[in-house]
Amino acid sequence: MGKGGKGAEAAAAAAGAGEEENMAAWLVAKNTLKIMPFKLPPVGPYDVRVRMKAVGICGSDVHYLREMRIAHFVVKEPMVIGHECAGVIEEVGSGVTHLAVGDRC
């Protein structure tokens, strides 16, 4: 499985199941990205949900894109890339005490 816990096809199938989702950049092959749905997991007691305002691609993501691997980790199925991000917190879990809805992060 790629980052996000589901293959791209499974994430796309979730669209019809009424589950909440975002669009994400899926690395599907060498030098090939597809913008496809990503199923959002439920917010747990120590989690926050962030409404993304900007997401960047870092050097390791570019390496994955070009080589489909970094060191011993080889991408064998679709994987979501992009983890340099900023946004606004829109939901907090019951155990989160240091962040609040509306905080920028």
Side-chain angles (χ1 to χ4, degrees):
M1 277 184 236
K3 293 180 190 175
K6 289 194 173 213
E9 293 79 20
E19 297 170 327
E20 215 173 340
E21 63 184 29
N22 280 346
M23 299 305 284
W26 289 86
L27 174 60
V28 296
K30 195 178 264 192
N31 294 316
T32 306
L33 292 175
K34 289 188 177 181
I35 305 302
M36 299 187 307
F38 174 85
K39 180 183 169 242
L40 298 175
V43 174
Y46 298 102
D47 297 333
V48 299
R49 176 155 297 154
V50 177
R51 173 71 51 196
M52 292 293 116
K53 297 295 185 179
V55 178
I57 302 294
C58 72
S60 60
D61 291 326
V62 172
H63 195 77
Y64 280 124
L65 177 67
R66 290 182 180 161
E67 304 296 330
M68 293 296 285
R69 70 177 301 138
I70 290 181
H72 298 293
F73 181 82
V74 178
V75 179
K76 295 180 181 174
E77 62 184 60
M79 178 175 87
V80 174
I81 66 170
H83 60 267
E84 309 286 339
C85 56
V88 177
I89 295 175
E90 65 177 24
E91 186 178 351
V92 296
S94 60
V96 176
T97 59
H98 61 288
L99 298 168
V101 171
D103 285 353
R104 292 182 285 176
C105 54

